[in-house]
Amino acid sequence: MNLFEIVKYGVSCREAAERYGVEVNRYSMALCPFHNDRHPSLYVADDHYYCFACGEHGDVIDFVSRLEAVSPKEAALMLAQAFSVPY
């Protein structure tokens, strides 16, 4: 397995979202950090996220990459370090 697969299986999208300050409610909905959102439109599942308003979607690595404005590889390394995922 490579770094990307290990991180995807080791860290859920919901855990990463909450770690980076996105408050996910009990219905797995949150305010989207990728546009000016006033009502929860971001669905955060364990393996992916999707915004019903702006259409942003992807997996946990895509989420952190987009949120922190880094490359996918840097995002995977950040997640591995933040969640103590051995790779």
Side-chain angles (χ1 to χ4, degrees):
M1 292 178 81
N2 63 28
L3 172 65
F4 295 102
E5 292 171 342
I6 293 169
V7 170
K8 285 180 190 180
Y9 289 119
V11 181
S12 77
C13 208
R14 184 179 181 120
E15 289 174 327
E18 290 174 345
R19 177 83 173 224
Y20 285 91
V22 177
E23 294 182 28
V24 183
N25 68 20
R26 65 181 177 201
Y27 303 109
S28 297
M29 298 296 290
L31 295 175
C32 182
F34 306 119
H35 72 275
N36 188 14
D37 204 3
R38 295 187 315 176
H39 303 286
S41 62
L42 181 71
Y43 175 71
V44 183
D46 286 338
D47 63 341
H48 70 282
Y49 69 96
Y50 179 78
C51 180
F52 293 100
C54 69
E56 185 67 37
H57 66 283
D59 59 26
V60 65
I61 296 171
D62 297 328
F63 182 82
V64 174
S65 175
R66 171 87 195 226
L67 190 65
E68 294 293 317
V70 296
S71 72
K73 183 177 181 180
E74 290 173 308
L77 290 170
M78 289 170 62
L79 285 164
Q81 183 179 12
F83 289 93
S84 301
V85 177
Y87 60 93

